[in-house]
Amino acid sequence: MILIAVVFAVFLSAIVITPVVAGVVAVRKVRRRTRAQRYGLRTEGRCIRVETVRRSGGGYATSTRRYFLFEYVTHDGRQVRFEDAAPNTTVPGDLLAVSYLPDDPEGATVALPGDRTAQRELGCLLAFLGVALMIALIIAAVGIGVISLFASGA
């Protein structure tokens, strides 16, 4: 019985901790991007590569995702490459505004006017993770109740 309780506790920890960790990572990513856009230095960057990845099969609809690689030169002359989202009309050679923090040039972001993509993505992700956490807590409560029933009956 104790072994079952230990296995359940480990499983429960994993399903509760996973959404929390994912939320912390997402918040850090959005905060870094937002700080770069609000307080960072601006310069011109060039799109140097666009990669389109298509996923299909497994009974799911085909999805397409584009990855953009940018390059820019910092104000102190360092050449930096970074991946970021961009409008789907972006092609290699396009020039875009880049915003970066001097202490984190690799954390640069394409500075599109009025771009709130990161904040929208964060809102959706946190809503999803909140629901996942609620489900995990319900599973935990039910599991603890079942284990306590078995423990009291033994």
Side-chain angles (χ1 to χ4, degrees):
M1 184 46 112
I2 292 176
L3 179 63
I4 293 171
V6 169
V7 169
F8 180 74
V10 169
F11 172 72
L12 179 63
S13 297
I15 64 172
V16 170
I17 291 173
T18 300
V20 172
V21 170
V24 168
V25 169
V27 167
R28 284 186 176 172
K29 179 181 174 186
V30 170
R31 282 188 63 203
R32 187 173 98 184
R33 181 181 178 98
T34 302
R35 279 186 49 231
Q37 287 185 353
R38 285 187 183 161
Y39 309 112
L41 301 174
R42 300 264 173 147
T43 189
E44 191 172 73
R46 178 179 307 275
C47 177
I48 59 173
R49 188 175 73 220
V50 178
E51 185 177 331
T52 303
V53 177
R54 286 186 175 81
R55 293 192 178 123
S56 63
Y60 297 103
T62 300
S63 66
T64 302
R65 176 152 181 154
R66 298 184 81 194
Y67 295 91
F68 300 90
L69 182 65
F70 297 95
E71 182 175 72
Y72 73 99
V73 177
T74 63
H75 287 83
D76 62 358
R78 269 184 56 199
Q79 187 171 343
V80 178
R81 289 184 175 188
F82 69 99
E83 285 188 18
D84 198 12
N88 280 334
T89 57
T90 304
V91 295
D94 283 356
L95 299 175
L96 293 157
V98 172
S99 186
Y100 71 96
L101 295 169
D103 60 333
D104 184 22
E106 287 79 18
T109 182
V110 173
L112 300 172
D115 182 21
R116 311 259 322 154
T117 302
Q119 289 83 359
R120 282 193 307 271
E121 287 176 357
L122 177 65
C124 291
L125 181 63
L126 290 179
F128 170 77
L129 292 175
V131 170
L133 185 59
M134 294 286 285
I135 291 170
L137 292 174
I138 290 168
I139 291 171
V142 170
I144 289 169
V146 168
I147 287 176
S148 65
L149 278 175
F150 280 119
S152 66

